[in-house]
Amino acid sequence: MSLLLGKVDETNVARTRGILSGATVLGAGGAAWCFAALLNWNARSAWAIPGAMVATIALLGLCAARLLATRRTRSADDPAASAAGKRAGIWFGIIFGAEAALIAISSVLLARGGLGLWIPATAALIVGIHFLPLARVFAAPIYYGTGIFSVLGVLACLLIPDMALRLLCVGLVMAAVLWGTSWLLLWRTRLG
């Protein structure tokens, strides 16, 4: 079990908890994109939803196990790290709020214009772009890759002429990128 959970020392336990929280949020976000895509796909196989459930449970279960493992380690008292964490939290709130507002505004405008089917792709682009400032805020270069792969993946999906297939691909691309990042973050904390 320690191979899966790794070990965490006092000097990096707060950072590890932050990384694991990010992995959990990414895993849940990937699940939301995956299920939205699969539930709206009329030609899905009988195994698609159960397979997505197994993947989601495995990923989020591992995130929870890693987070619980960090509870056994006390965090070192580091006022500078604590202040930096609070600043990062404030910036996360600002970036997340801007992302939510942009998605809401673009959704309303697209729906009013009769372009409601473009909402998922637009939301996916906004989600991808929001990882770029997060990479800087959290000093996590992996989020640059998450943002770039999300945006490029969605732009590639826009080249698909069939709207139903395009929407499926947008959801699955976002799920793959978010789940992939979550797994990479879990791997990173395992080594820490």
Side-chain angles (χ1 to χ4, degrees), residues 7-191:
K7 65 177 191 164
V8 180
D9 63 33
E10 286 184 15
T11 59
N12 67 5
V13 71
R15 178 135 175 95
T16 299
R17 286 178 185 150
I19 291 169
L20 290 169
S21 297
T24 304
V25 170
L26 289 168
W33 280 103
C34 182
F35 287 115
L38 293 176
L39 290 172
N40 288 305
W41 183 32
N42 294 330
R44 75 176 169 270
S45 299
W47 57 266
I49 298 294
M53 286 180 177
V54 168
T56 300
I57 291 168
L59 179 58
L60 295 180
L62 192 52
C63 289
R66 289 286 291 130
L67 275 167
L68 287 173
T70 65
R71 291 183 69 199
R72 294 185 215 130
T73 307
R74 217 175 54 102
S75 181
D77 187 27
D78 183 356
S82 179
K86 287 178 184 175
R87 275 192 308 278
I90 290 169
W91 276 108
F92 172 78
I94 292 168
I95 293 166
F96 184 77
E99 173 195 19
L102 283 172
I103 290 173
I105 291 167
S106 64
S107 297
V108 168
L109 293 174
L110 288 168
R112 282 189 181 172
L115 301 170
L117 291 176
W118 288 92
I119 293 172
T122 304
L125 286 171
I126 294 168
V127 169
I129 291 168
H130 109 283
F131 280 102
L132 301 177
L134 285 183
R136 182 173 167 88
V137 166
F138 291 121
I142 192 170
Y143 287 158
Y144 287 119
T146 303
I148 290 167
F149 281 115
S150 295
V151 169
L152 292 177
V154 171
L155 291 175
C157 291
L158 295 179
L159 299 174
I160 300 171
D162 179 68
M163 184 60 83
L165 184 57
R166 181 184 309 149
L167 291 174
L168 173 68
C169 288
V170 165
L172 294 180
V173 161
M174 289 302 293
V177 171
L178 296 178
W179 277 346
T181 305
S182 182
W183 280 107
L184 287 172
L185 290 173
L186 283 171
W187 181 256
R188 180 178 170 192
T189 60
R190 186 188 77 64
L191 298 174

